[in-house]
Amino acid sequence: MSITVDTATSVSIRVSSPAFRATFTPRVASSGAQLAAVERTPRLTSDHASAAKAALAESILDAEDALTSVHRSWFAPAQRPSAPAPERIDESTIRTRHAEAAVRGVPWFDMANRRRAAKVAQRRALTDIGAARRAAEERVQAEEHRIDQWWSALCANDPRTVTEYVNGVFAADRGSRATALGTHGACVEVAVVVSGEHVLPAEEVRLAADGSLTIRRASVAHRARLYRQHVAAVVVATARRALAASPGADSVKVHALRATCSGPWDDLNLLAVAELTRDDILRADFAMDAVSLLERFGRGVRLGAEGVDSPVMIPLALDTVPGLAERLEEVCAVRHRASA
């Protein structure tokens, strides 16, 4: 199936829906991410509202926190795997096989020949057991050699090795909608699809001037600010995930996209671009909100403006990242063919 890129509006990348799903559809698996502990003061007290109203307010605020705290996720760094131990040799079966073969055809009453046959069977069994052990050890050594070469390539930021491994990490991460686009020197480039405005809470919590608690339909402005924080948080979390998986990379450049289904096609809009280095991540204060963190520690940060009539951010122009549309086209085409 051919895949086209529509740049007529300068903000939309159009790919076929099957290709989009093959590239960005999240897989279901266990996640290695953990949220870093961030001290937070209680948001509500019994003075604000009744218990039921306070519980509803807490659930709304918790949903907002879940969306805007994604950047605080921690990911275990990649470690060199070890080859499995040599498989156990079933010596008993080998001895029995040789013992039965040695006395086959020898009468049970011919004790002298049966004793000689037993000794021959023992020598042959020991020979086979030794050969089986050596073969098992050689397989382990061969696997260790393969792992050494792979690990060296990963640490050297070999483009193919890094891209395949990072994509494997994304595939194993529950709900991940990211894919590696390749490497450029010591930088890994990643594209991630951010969920749409449907993930935002429909209501917002406010405290009135008299201190009373109010829960009302969330304003467009509130949802827009919340969505922008969520986009920034996803960018940071994706960079942390990719850096953890690529020990040879110095930085990760993340392209945050939003997908809109148009029949057999998906229109991808560019919402944010940012590059984070490993040093940036180490120095960053993750108690900060995601937008502030990106603006302080990110490189080449571009965030779409908050929507005026909708929480959806105003997309960035495609030429913000020259060649992005072509790279997405190529990646989607390859992944679609592989999954067909």
Side-chain angles (χ1 to χ4, degrees):
M1 176 180 292
S2 62
I3 298 171
T4 66
V5 176
D6 178 12
T7 59
T9 62
S10 79
V11 295
S12 180
I13 304 169
R14 174 165 289 184
V15 298
S16 71
S17 290
F20 170 79
R21 289 193 297 270
T23 306
F24 290 104
T25 298
R27 286 79 169 175
V28 178
S30 61
S31 173
Q34 301 176 2
L35 285 179
V38 177
E39 188 174 350
R40 190 174 62 195
T41 57
R43 294 168 297 201
L44 302 170
T45 67
S46 57
D47 294 336
H48 291 133
S50 65
K53 195 172 185 180
L56 175 59
E58 285 288 349
S59 68
I60 296 170
L61 295 175
D62 285 342
E64 293 183 355
D65 277 348
L67 292 171
T68 59
S69 297
V70 179
H71 64 297
R72 300 189 177 107
S73 299
W74 177 86
F75 302 92
Q79 295 183 335
R80 181 195 180 281
S82 298
E87 62 265 30
R88 177 180 173 274
I89 305 303
D90 189 353
E91 298 185 13
S92 176
T93 298
I94 295 174
R95 294 179 189 277
T96 299
R97 183 177 70 249
H98 281 287
E100 291 176 350
V103 298
R104 191 172 294 121
V106 180
W108 64 267
F109 52 82
D110 190 351
M111 301 306 296
N113 282 329
R114 292 183 74 87
R115 282 194 294 270
R116 283 193 292 271
K119 292 179 180 179
V120 171
Q122 185 177 15
R123 289 196 300 269
R124 291 176 176 172
L126 290 175
T127 299
D128 281 2
I129 290 170
R133 286 175 176 169
R134 287 191 297 274
E137 291 171 357
E138 288 172 359
R139 284 192 290 272
V140 171
Q141 292 172 0
E143 180 62 11
E144 286 286 358
H145 179 66
R146 186 196 66 79
I147 291 173
D148 278 339
Q149 290 183 317
W150 174 84
W151 182 250
S152 296
L154 186 69
C155 292
N157 219 42
D158 174 70
R160 180 175 179 179
T161 304
V162 171
T163 300
E164 289 180 352
Y165 183 66
V166 171
N167 278 331
V169 171
F170 286 144
D173 190 2
R174 180 181 58 202
S176 175
R177 303 182 74 192
T179 189
L181 301 179
T183 64
H184 181 70
C187 178
V188 179
E189 287 198 79
V190 174
V192 60
V193 174
V194 184
S195 298
E197 61 186 276
H198 64 277
V199 300
L200 302 175
E203 299 172 307
E204 66 173 300
V205 179
R206 289 191 178 187
L207 289 178
D210 61 359
S212 61
L213 178 70
T214 62
I215 299 175
R216 65 181 188 181
R217 184 175 182 83
S219 67
V220 171
H222 176 78
R223 283 162 61 86
R225 287 192 295 271
L226 189 63
Y227 189 71
R228 197 164 188 262
Q229 287 288 348
H230 177 57
V231 171
V234 170
V235 168
V236 176
T238 303
R240 297 185 77 180
R241 183 187 288 111
L243 279 172
S246 49
D250 292 334
S251 65
V252 174
K253 187 173 185 179
V254 181
H255 313 282
L257 308 170
R258 183 178 186 273
T260 304
C261 181
S262 302
W265 303 95
D266 283 273
D267 293 325
L268 303 181
N269 293 312
L270 181 62
L271 298 181
V273 180
E275 183 175 349
L276 286 163
T277 70
R278 200 174 294 277
D279 289 340
D280 292 333
I281 296 298
L282 292 175
R283 293 185 299 110
D285 178 6
F286 287 95
M288 299 173 64
D289 67 83
V291 171
S292 299
L293 188 149
L294 264 187
E295 291 175 344
R296 180 172 178 181
F297 295 98
R299 316 291 174 90
V301 177
R302 294 289 303 276
L303 277 172
E306 296 175 0
V308 178
D309 301 320
S310 168
V312 177
M313 293 166 60
I314 299 174
L316 301 172
L318 287 177
D319 57 10
T320 299
V321 184
L324 176 62
E326 291 74 17
R327 289 203 296 279
L328 284 170
E329 177 187 23
E330 180 181 358
V331 169
C332 287
V334 171
R335 295 287 284 274
H336 177 52
R337 286 195 298 267
S339 64

